[in-house]
């Protein structure tokens, strides 16, 4: 009986601690320009479509305790690809964002973080969405709270693609939050 009471007390203590950890689960990504599930505003679309080709502004809040850095990935699964099976098209890979950062203004004018390859792997940085005429595709931006700075180059690097970045951050993710939109 005493053993069962101790087990119950330990279980309740763990639940209380778990409750504190769950309170940190409020990590949230928002964008002043993008409404979740809405359309991408013109400033952030490709120039072919009359857009400004800027990175969208992002804001996040309630990062969990232990966050040492952030990473951002914007991606899209093209037609005939499957999430969890195929790699998506990468539109923005950004890492080494300092833990004190809570937002990135449109265009990331201060060049916060380091960037990987664009969608076409011809340069580093953001690829503005440019869906074929008449098509609508869903894109997702995710911010990751990491418990360490990922083992990636300490500068922009065109050799970093979706697979390398996700492999490098995978074991360090303590929270993530996403926003999806259409173009």
């Amino acid at each position: 009986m005493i053993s069962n009471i101790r087990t119950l007390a330990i279980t309740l203590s763990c639940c209380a601690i778990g409750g504190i950890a769950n309170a940190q689960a409020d990590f949230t990504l928002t964008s002043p320009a993008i409404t979740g599930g809405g359309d991408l505003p013109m400033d952030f679309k490709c120039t072919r479509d009359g857009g400004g080709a800027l990175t969208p502004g992002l804001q996040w809040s309630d990062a969990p305790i232990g966050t040492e850095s952030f990473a951002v990935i914007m991606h899209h699964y093209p037609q005939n690809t499957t999430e969890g099976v195929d790699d998506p098209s990468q539109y923005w890979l950004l890492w080494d964002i300092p833990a004190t950062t809570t937002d990135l203004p449109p265009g990331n004018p201060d060049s916060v973080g380091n960037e990987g390859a664009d969608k076409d792997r011809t340069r580093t940085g953001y690829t503005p969405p440019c869906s074929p005429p008449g098509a609508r595709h869903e894109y997702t931006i995710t911010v990751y709270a990491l418990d360490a700075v990922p083992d990636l180059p300490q500068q922009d690097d065109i050799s970093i693609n979706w697979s390398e970045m996700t492999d490098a951050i995978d074991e360090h993710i303590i929270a993530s939050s996403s926003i999806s939109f259409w173009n």
Side-chain angles (χ1 to χ4, degrees):
M1 176 87 164
I2 292 177
S3 177
N4 288 341
I5 293 172
R6 285 187 186 145
T7 302
L8 178 62
I10 291 169
T11 302
L12 291 175
S13 295
C14 290
C15 290
I17 292 169
I20 292 169
N22 288 336
Q24 297 175 30
D26 295 329
F27 184 53
T28 305
L29 172 64
T30 59
S31 173
I34 299 172
T35 303
D39 289 333
L40 184 65
M42 192 58 71
D43 287 347
F44 313 107
K45 294 182 180 192
C46 69
T47 55
R48 179 202 75 195
D49 293 344
L54 291 173
T55 61
L58 302 174
Q59 299 169 337
W60 52 88
S61 58
D62 298 320
I65 294 170
T67 299
E68 294 293 322
S69 71
F70 296 101
V72 172
I73 296 177
M74 180 174 144
H75 73 279
H76 153 71
Y77 281 94
Q79 187 175 356
N80 300 321
T81 60
T82 304
E83 185 173 351
V85 175
D86 303 301
D87 286 349
S89 292
Q90 62 201 32
Y91 285 78
W92 196 18
L93 304 175
L94 184 63
W95 65 91
D96 284 352
I97 302 169
T100 55
T101 304
T102 58
D103 70 306
L104 295 172
N108 192 11
D110 296 328
S111 294
V112 174
N114 297 309
E115 294 180 311
D118 69 344
K119 177 184 170 287
D120 300 319
R121 299 181 184 174
T122 58
R123 61 179 182 81
T124 58
Y126 175 72
T127 304
C130 214
S131 297
R136 281 178 50 84
H137 294 153
E138 184 177 34
Y139 298 80
T140 301
I141 299 174
T142 304
V143 63
Y144 299 90
L146 307 175
D147 66 5
V149 174
D151 186 20
L152 289 165
Q154 299 300 302
Q155 71 279 336
D156 294 353
D157 191 323
I158 196 169
S159 72
I160 302 303
N161 63 25
W162 165 270
S163 294
E164 278 113 12
M165 177 139 174
T166 56
D167 286 349
I169 70 172
D170 186 51
E171 292 185 20
H172 298 291
I173 299 169
I174 53 178
S176 66
S177 183
S178 299
I179 187 168
S180 293
F181 58 90
W182 293 88
N183 183 55

